């Protein structure tokens, strides 16, 4: 598959041209055309027309297209380069996205042959049963940070279950998070009209949520934007699956092995420059380990190489753009002004932000109380497990939780007391698998709506049907 295959837009759009930029260098990687509200309406109407035949297609046909797409993602070297250059991913992160994308397609292929309903008991002389039917057209709005994973995890199961899809990727990652999917599925044999990729800004997203031909919205992004999407979807009586922000805690109990924990702690906060919703945004460390933990984590942060992941061997690449840089650095400066101690980092060269450790974090530390979406690890001590539970459960979010302890049963017991959608014992907070349900609670979203069996509920409607041998008779 060539470069032109990945950047080709199947639909002629009416919006302005947008320059796709490499964050590491500022160089242009190409241009795409953005979608207008009118483009969204036309795509949704086309998708509605195409989905009926696809929904009636044998499950083997739908499964075959998804398996072929999985094979293509697994072998896609060109898309790997785009993930590195367009999204600022290090090569390992790009490989992980391609692996998960392939697995999402394989898992979705299996959905096509899942049992579709149940036979129900009934008082009447009739057959009574339920059947899951495709929702119709699914609107997917995906972000820049893990652009391939966060698009394909909705696109693949929605298609496998007989729906059409209109995908609006973030313009900053329009290729690896959008147009590349269209190219892969076209090569996999997906019929025309079933997948429309429309890079665009807020206008296109609002039009997608409001469109009468799109009954289901799958949104991944910030909590603020998710609230707006949820409110708009509610006005139109649409189902909205919202996977939003987080400020996840990593709890390190007094019996933790610091020789082992620093690696997982650093990964949890610094992977992909901290631009992950599951990032460990709060390190809660028992007071007996606190000073040594801060020193070791700061030393690990100082040892990490930051630079251009396409041209250098580094552990961290660039932040996505200057707006994100200003947000991250502003939170760090406000935190140190508020009393937090800068143990490592806090500086940047262009979009390359040094991994940062903030000691003595507390309720007045903005980088501790807010989602940073940058490579920042605020550290706070606790004295008792009850205090750790209270600290971990504080704040509006509830996405992921990590607990490190030599006693897994103790870790599970503690985790049961913290409201969260995801728990990892003896691991950090950034994990993802295609077979697992993914989602948070409270300000982190509307629960586990992606992955595994959750996809059946997300992208189908449950229909009740009865069949009688003769026409029913009534008293009047």
């Amino acid at each position: 598959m060539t470069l032109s295959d990945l950047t080709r837009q199947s639909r002629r759009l009416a919006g302005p041209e947008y320059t796709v930029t490499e964050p590491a260098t500022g160089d242009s990687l190409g241009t795409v055309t953005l979608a207008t509200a009118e483009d969204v309406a036309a795509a949704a109407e086309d998708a509605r027309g195409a989905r009926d035949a696809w929904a009636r297609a044998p499950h083997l046909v739908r499964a075959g297209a998804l398996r072929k797409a999985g094979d293509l993602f697994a072998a896609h070297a060109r898309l790997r380069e785009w993930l590195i250059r367009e999204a600022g991913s290090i090569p390992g992160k790009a490989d992980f996205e391609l692996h998960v994308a392939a697995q999402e397609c394989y898992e979705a292929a299996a959905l096509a042959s899942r049992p579709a309903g149940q036979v129900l008991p009934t008082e009447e002389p009739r057959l009574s049963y339920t059947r899951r039917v495709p929702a119709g057209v699914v609107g997917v709005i995906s972000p820049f940070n893990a652009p391939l994973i966060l698009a394909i995890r909705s696109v693949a199961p929605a298609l496998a279950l007989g729906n059409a899809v209109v995908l609006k990727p973030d313009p900053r990652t329009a290729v690896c998070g959008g147009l590349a999917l269209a190219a892969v599925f076209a090569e996999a044999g997906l019929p025309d009209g079933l997948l429309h990729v429309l890079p665009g800004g807020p206008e296109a997203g609002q039009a997608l949520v409001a469109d009468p031909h799109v009954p289901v919205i799958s949104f991944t992004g910030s909590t603020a934007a998710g609230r707006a999407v949820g409110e708009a979807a509610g006005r139109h009586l649409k189902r909205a699956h919202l996977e939003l922000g987080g400020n996840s805690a990593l709890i390190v109990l007094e019996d933790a092995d610091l020789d082992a924990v620093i690696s997982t702690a650093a990964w949890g906060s610094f992977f992909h420059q901290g631009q992950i919703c599951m990032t460990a945004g709060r390190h809660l460390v028992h007071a007996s380990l606190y000073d040594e933990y801060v020193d070791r984590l700061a030393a690990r942060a100082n040892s990490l190489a930051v630079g251009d992941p396409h041209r250098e061997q580094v552990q961290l690449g660039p932040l996505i753009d200057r707006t994100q840089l200003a947000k991250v650095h502003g939170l760090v400066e406000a935190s140190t002004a508020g009393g937090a101690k800068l143990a490592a980092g806090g500086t940047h060269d262009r979009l390359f932000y040094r991994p940062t450790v903030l000691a003595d974090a507390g309720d007045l530390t903005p980088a501790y109380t807010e989602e940073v979406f940058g490579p920042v690890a605020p550290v706070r001590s606790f004295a008792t497990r009850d205090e750790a539970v209270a600290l971990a459960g504080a704040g509006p979010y509830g996405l992921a939780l990590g607990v490190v302890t030599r006693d897994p049963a103790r870790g599970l017991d503690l985790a049961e007391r913290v409201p969260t959608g995801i728990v990892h014992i003896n691991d950090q907070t950034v994990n993802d698998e295609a077979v697992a349900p993914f989602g948070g609670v409270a300000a982190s979203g509307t629960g586990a709506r992606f992955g595994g069996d959750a996809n059946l509920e997300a992208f189908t409607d449950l229909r009740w049907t009865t069949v009688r041998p003769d026409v029913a008779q009534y008293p009047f």
Side-chain angles (χ1 to χ4, degrees), residues 124-182:
E124 301 293 327
R126 64 189 180 188
L127 172 65
S128 177
Y129 64 93
T130 60
R131 178 170 172 250
R132 288 202 171 272
V133 297
V137 179
V138 175
V140 179
I141 302 174
S142 59
F144 71 85
N145 55 319
L148 180 55
I149 290 176
L150 300 182
I152 196 65
R153 72 174 180 186
S154 293
V155 170
L159 289 172
L161 291 167
N163 301 285
V165 175
V166 179
L167 167 63
K168 190 205 83 64
D170 190 304
R172 291 171 290 185
T173 49
V175 178
C176 59
L179 300 177
L181 279 77

Side-chain angles (χ1 to χ4, degrees), residues 56-75:
R56 292 194 301 269
H59 69 274
L60 291 175
V61 172
R62 286 184 271 121
L66 270 296
R67 284 195 296 270
K68 177 63 173 175
D71 292 343
L72 291 169
F73 280 121

Side-chain angles (χ1 to χ4, degrees), residues 127-459:
L127 172 65
S128 177
Y129 64 93
T130 60
R131 178 170 172 250
R132 288 202 171 272
V133 297
V137 179
V138 175
V140 179
I141 302 174
S142 59
F144 71 85
N145 55 319
L148 180 55
I149 290 176
L150 300 182
I152 196 65
R153 72 174 180 186
S154 293
V155 170
L159 289 172
L161 291 167
N163 301 285
V165 175
V166 179
L167 167 63
K168 190 205 83 64
D170 190 304
R172 291 171 290 185
T173 49
V175 178
C176 59
L179 300 177
L181 279 77
V184 166
F185 278 104
E187 187 171 338
L190 187 73
D192 292 341
L194 288 172
L195 175 60
H196 299 260
V197 177
L198 306 179
E203 178 193 13
Q206 292 162 7
L208 186 57
V209 174
D211 194 280
H213 298 320
V214 182
V216 176
I217 297 294
S218 172
F219 173 85
T220 304
S222 71
T223 296
R227 290 187 193 278
V229 169
E231 289 171 4
R235 287 196 299 272
H236 297 283
L237 300 180
K238 295 189 178 189
R239 201 156 75 232
H241 305 302
L242 308 175
E243 200 279 284
L244 310 177
N247 190 13
S248 299
L250 177 67
I251 301 175
V252 181
L253 295 180
E254 65 274 16
D255 63 348
D257 177 2
L258 284 190
D259 290 333
V261 75
I262 294 303
S263 171
T264 196
W267 183 269
S269 284
F270 304 143
F271 175 65
H272 195 48
Q273 301 78 261
Q275 298 174 125
I276 300 289
C277 60
M278 300 169 283
T279 290
R282 295 175 294 155
H283 294 240
L284 306 177
V285 182
H286 190 269
S288 63
L289 304 177
Y290 177 79
D291 290 337
E292 184 178 358
Y293 184 95
V294 169
D295 289 344
R296 288 196 182 197
L297 186 60
R300 182 62 57 90
N302 288 330
S303 73
L304 299 176
V306 183
D308 182 347
H310 181 55
R311 299 167 181 85
E312 307 171 58
Q313 187 171 350
V314 297
Q315 284 82 44
L316 282 78
L319 296 175
I320 191 66
D321 60 20
R322 291 193 173 278
T323 299
Q324 189 62 24
L325 172 68
K327 177 193 173 186
V328 172
H329 195 53
L331 286 170
V332 170
E333 289 191 316
S335 296
T336 55
K341 175 186 174 183
L342 190 65
T347 62
H348 64 92
D349 175 12
R350 296 168 291 164
L351 297 181
F352 302 109
Y353 205 89
R354 289 294 313 172
T356 298
V357 178
L358 292 171
D360 301 335
D363 293 339
L364 300 180
T365 306
Y368 172 84
T369 59
E370 300 178 32
E371 182 182 37
V372 178
F373 231 62
V376 180
V379 190
R380 181 172 183 169
S381 68
F382 66 87
T384 68
R385 288 176 210 150
D386 286 343
E387 184 184 2
V389 167
L391 291 172
Y397 299 104
L399 183 52
L401 172 70
V403 182
V404 180
T405 174
R406 295 179 192 267
D407 184 346
R410 179 186 297 165
L412 283 170
D413 180 67
L414 184 152
E416 287 294 318
R417 301 164 61 192
V418 179
T420 185
I422 303 166
V423 172
H424 301 294
I425 306 300
N426 285 328
D427 202 350
Q428 46 78 39
T429 52
V430 182
N431 281 275
D432 194 14
E433 289 189 59
V435 298
F438 186 99
V441 299
S444 291
T446 51
R449 300 292 187 179
F450 305 106
D453 289 345
N455 287 323
L456 290 168
E457 182 180 349
F459 303 118

